[in-house]
DNA sequence: CTCAGTGCAAAGGATTTGCATGCCG
DNA sequence: CGGCATGCAAATCCTTTGCACTGAG
């Protein structure tokens, strides 16, 4: 996978585990060894990962358990699931654990890479969207701003 | 890059069919009766539709053919496929046939509604994204800016 | 000891595809 | 006519689930 700038979590590994532990605990989930491994793999990737990515990095993790744990982590607000036109879903840390960002999505291979925009652009977007949402009686939670095109590998 | 026309009324039915015919012809696809029906259903909906939506509106269309034709229409630049977290993919006319817009996506019921933003906001977003894409060796085609939240019905 | 977590295998389900037939050009 | 398009059924394949077992607390 082509990596741009590193976009790793702003948290140290130990802070990350602590934050995940808290979120799991709030939902009465245990922070088991397998879940720690999963968090480590996602953190090490520094970019959104698919199930094959995860299993390749940690072959002893059972796919079904990984899916189940990704679900648990998603419910706990630890990871977000990103569905693209590719075969697999991508997973990355949710925004409270990873600073606000957007995605470059390759229309050829489905690869997803993180990018960050200037704060003032974000502010303008939020204001404009809030206005449009208000007109439709829609209560906003978050926005997603993705750029679709050809990645460096597929160009 | 992505510069939509000013927001305006959609194409007339005959203009729409003409435009679709041209795009299919460019790829040496035929504009068959089934494809016409499909285009009519999507046009009548006026909002992104799923396969069940389409088949409900035209029960005589075979699902497999609809999927195949949606694929043909997508390859021809007539429709875009929108994958959300729901079970089904949504389809709507691609931007050259529908003015540039974004989506309000309900996290409860998965409904997708179209919205338009000011042109100057679009310009700022495009410029910012182009800059970020350049750093990653990414060749942009279009952006998607979706607002996730609770729709009027689910609020 | 109790119950959530795990791993294997099998199921689920949207989407795709093989193949014989029908229709467009 | 010739080849793309269609429709039915079957296959594909990511993801989810059933079930018995293991392990954390």
């Amino acid at each position: 996978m082509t990596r741009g700038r590193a976009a790793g979590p702003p948290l140290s590994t130990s802070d990350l585990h602590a934050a995940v532990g808290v979120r799991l605990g709030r939902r009465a989930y245990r922070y088991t060894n397998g879940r720690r491994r999963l968090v480590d793999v996602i953190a090490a990737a520094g970019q959104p990962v698919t199930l094959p990515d995860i299993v390749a990095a940690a072959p002893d993790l059972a796919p079904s358990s990984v899916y189940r744990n990704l679900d648990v982590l998603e419910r706990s607000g630890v990871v977000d699931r990103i569905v693209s036109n590719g075969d697999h879903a991508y997973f990355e840390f949710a925004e409270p654990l990873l600073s606000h960002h957007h995605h470059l999505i390759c229309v050829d291979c489905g690869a997803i890479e993180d990018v960050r925009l200037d704060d003032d652009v974000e502010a303008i977007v939020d204001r404009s969207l809030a206005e449009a949402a208000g007109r439709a009686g829609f209560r906003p939670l978050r926005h997603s701003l993705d750029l679709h095109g050809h990645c460096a590998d597929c160009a």
Side-chain angles (χ1 to χ4, degrees), chain A:
Chain A
M1 177 191 306
T2 315
R3 299 258 334 244
R5 298 179 301 145
L11 276 50
S12 70
T13 301
S14 59
D15 283 350
L16 176 63
H17 282 302
V20 172
V22 167
R23 277 151 215 272
L24 287 175
R26 279 205 284 259
R27 294 289 215 287
Y29 289 126
R30 297 174 187 167
Y31 201 7
T32 62
N33 191 52
R35 289 173 185 167
R36 249 171 233 279
R37 302 276 316 281
L38 178 52
V39 166
D40 282 333
V41 168
I42 298 172
Q47 285 287 314
V49 289
T50 64
L51 186 97
D53 293 336
I54 294 167
V55 173
D60 55 313
L61 295 182
S64 65
S65 292
V66 171
Y67 274 122
R68 252 189 295 237
N69 286 332
L70 286 169
D71 185 61
V72 164
L73 292 174
E74 191 181 13
R75 288 170 138 67
S76 308
V78 173
V79 305
D80 276 339
R81 170 188 308 236
I82 319 164
V83 284
S84 74
N85 40 344
D87 286 339
H88 294 271
Y90 282 76
F91 296 88
E92 69 176 354
F93 291 121
E95 298 240 314
L97 298 175
L98 204 61
S99 58
H100 182 65
H101 65 278
H102 301 287
H103 299 120
L104 304 180
I105 301 179
C106 180
V107 298
D108 290 327
C109 69
I112 298 181
E113 189 169 345
D114 290 347
V115 291
R116 283 162 225 291
L117 301 184
D118 289 343
D119 286 346
D120 54 350
V121 173
E122 297 287 353
I124 290 169
V125 166
D126 275 338
R127 178 150 28 84
S128 185
L129 280 175
E131 209 175 286
R135 284 196 298 268
F138 191 93
R139 191 157 58 82
L141 284 176
R142 62 181 181 279
H143 73 245
S144 66
L145 173 48
D146 303 327
L147 187 60
H148 302 258
H150 302 277
C151 73
D153 289 342
C154 294

